[in-house]
Amino acid sequence: MPSTETETEGFTITVTSSGAQLAAASPAGLVRAAAALDQLRDAAGTAPLGEWRGDAPAHSWRGLMLDVARHFRPVDDVERILLLMARHRLNVLHLHLTDDQGWRYEVAGYPRLTTVGATRIETQRGHGPQSQVVAGDHAGFYTRADLVRIVAYAERLHITVVPEAEFPGHVQAAIAAYPELATATEAPTVPWPKFGLNPHTLNLRPETLEFCRAAIAALVDVFPSPWIGVGGDEVPTAQWAADPATAARMAELGIADIHDVQPWFTAQLVTMVEELGRTPYAWDEVLAGPVDTSMLIGIWRGPVAARVAHNRGHEFIWCSDMEAYLDYRRGEGTDEPTPVGPPLTVEDAWQFRVSEGARGGQANVWTEHLPTRDRVDFALFPRLAVIAERLWAGGEPGEWNSFAGALSTHIERLAEWGVAYRPQDGPRPAQRTPGMPGVPRSREEREAIVADLVSDIIDV
C-alpha cells in the first residue's frame, strides 16, 4: 500500500486536443507524471485523449544498484542512467563505489586511494575456471566536484543517490593503496584483476577504524542521502583466524570467537554513520551476528534473509538475486555474452514481488562482465523497465500477455533514447561475445547455492 512518503508522487494527466496538463501534489509527482505521459505515447509519439490518474506508488524505495567499482562509469554515463531511471519512475540510485577491483572516490588524507586504488593494469575476461586475465589499464574515479554534480542532477529528477563503500571485506583496492590496512602480512600492491571471493580483510587496528571513519565522512560530506552503505557482504574470516595481531586485538576487545569479529566491526561502522547523522545500510550477511536494528538491510539472499531481518525489526530492501540481478544472463542460448548465473528472463522480471515488510526494492547490476556503457544497457533493458513497473504498482503481477504489448511499444522508446537494449528475440550479432567462457547455472542450482549461503543466519 502507498505510504505517506509516496502520496505526493501520485499525479493526474489530462490530454486534450490542445495539449497535455500534468497535476501533482509535489515537484516529484510532476516528474513522475512527465514520465508516465511519455509512456502513454504510441509509436508515432501521440498520446490518446483522456484523463489518467497515477495513484501513489506502492513503494517508497524503487531503486537500481549500479556497480562502478568493477568497471568505472564516467559522470556523463551516471547522469544518463539517472535520466533513464526517472523515465521509469525510479527514485533511488544505490551507487557501489568501492570493491577489490577499484576505489572510485576521493577521501581527504588518503590520496593513494585514487592514485593507486583506482587503477588496475589487468582484468579478468570471462567467468569461471576457463576465464583469463588480460593486460590493459582500467582506471577512473570521481572527484568531489564530480559527485556534487551527480547529486545535483539526481536532485533535479527527485532521485536519491545512496553511496556505498565496502568494509571490512571486498577491500583489496584500499589495501593496495595503504598496505597498513591489511590483515595479511604480505599485502597486495595493486587492485585485484580477478572477480569472485577475495580473501583480504581490513585489520582491527584503531588506525584502520580511523580510515573507515574518514571514508564514511567523505560520503556524508557530499551525499544528502539519509542512508550510507557500508558493505558487509562476503567477508572471509581465514586471514583474521591466522593472524597473531588479530588474536591479540580480539583478546583486548573481549572477542572469543572469530565469527564475532565481523559483528564487532559492523558495530563500529554503525556508530560512525550514526554519529554523522545518517542511517547505516548493509547487505544481509551482517545478520549472521547481532546488529543494531537501526541498520537498513539489503536482502539479496531471498526469503530466509528477509524473514530474519523482518523478525528482528529491521527495515530492509528487497533485491533477491533470483529476481533482481540484471547481470544474470537473459536466456539459455549460447549467444548470450559471458553466461553468469541462472536465466532471468523478462517474464521472470514481471514476477518481481517485494517481500512483506520491505521498504521497497531494487534491481542490482554488478559490472564484472559489463565493461562498457552499451554492455550495461544490454543487461538493464528491457528488464529494468519491467521491474520499475512492478515497483510502482506493487502487489501481485497482472497477466503477462496484457503487459507484453505495452512493453513492445516501450522498447521502441528505448531505441529512440539510444539505449543498447537486448532485443526480445536474442542478442544482435554485435552484442554477442563468442567464445567468452562462463559457468551458466540452472535456477535450481542457484537456489541450492543461495540456501547454503544463507544458512549462517538461520535460527540466529
Side-chain angles (χ1 to χ4, degrees), residues 167-169 204 209 212 216 230-233 235 240 255 259-274 280-283 285-292 294-297 314:
F167 315 106
L204 312 186
L209 294 179
C212 296
I216 291 168
V230 294
D233 60 308
V235 180
W240 288 332
I255 301 173
H259 294 99
D260 292 331
V261 172
Q262 184 179 356
W264 173 85
F265 213 116
T266 301
Q268 312 313 302
L269 299 170
V270 168
T271 298
M272 294 172 196
V273 173
E274 292 185 339
Y281 174 29
W283 299 103
E285 282 93 335
V286 299
L287 296 172
V291 59
D292 194 280
S294 65
M295 178 170 271
L296 179 69
I297 306 295
H314 289 276

Side-chain angles (χ1 to χ4, degrees), residues 68-234:
V68 295
R70 274 55 177 270
H71 280 101
F72 179 73
R73 297 265 52 85
V75 174
D76 287 349
D77 282 9
V78 177
E79 289 181 336
R80 175 177 174 273
I81 284 176
L82 284 164
L83 180 58
L84 289 169
M85 289 176 63
R87 283 172 160 162
H88 292 85
R89 292 180 287 172
L90 296 171
N91 68 344
V92 177
L93 175 63
H94 169 182
L95 201 56
H96 183 80
L97 287 162
T98 75
D99 218 294
D100 296 303
Q101 297 81 11
W103 186 283
R104 305 299 180 196
Y105 72 98
E106 295 177 314
V107 177
Y110 296 88
R112 288 175 58 83
L113 288 174
T114 51
T115 60
V116 174
T119 302
R120 61 178 186 267
I121 59 174
E122 295 178 309
T123 296
Q124 179 178 318
R125 289 288 176 255
H127 173 62
Q130 296 183 36
S131 62
Q132 295 182 336
V133 174
V134 299
D137 283 4
H138 182 79
F141 68 92
Y142 304 108
T143 65
R144 185 182 185 281
D146 289 335
L147 295 178
V148 167
R149 174 180 154 185
I150 288 170
V151 168
Y153 189 79
E155 287 179 337
R156 288 168 53 196
L157 300 171
H158 295 274
I159 294 173
T160 299
V161 183
V162 178
E164 179 194 10
E166 279 275 3
F167 315 106
H170 285 285
V171 287
Q172 181 162 327
I175 288 172
Y178 292 95
E180 61 269 27
L181 300 174
T183 299
T185 54
E186 295 186 10
T189 58
V190 294
W192 202 29
K194 296 183 179 181
F195 305 123
L197 295 177
N198 186 290
H200 290 285
T201 53
L202 297 176
N203 62 49
L204 312 186
R205 298 168 63 232
E207 295 84 354
T208 299
L209 294 179
E210 286 305 309
F211 159 73
C212 296
R213 185 182 302 274
I216 291 168
L219 297 177
V220 170
D221 176 54
V222 172
F223 294 91
S225 163
W227 307 276
I228 301 293
V230 294
D233 60 308
E234 299 178 326

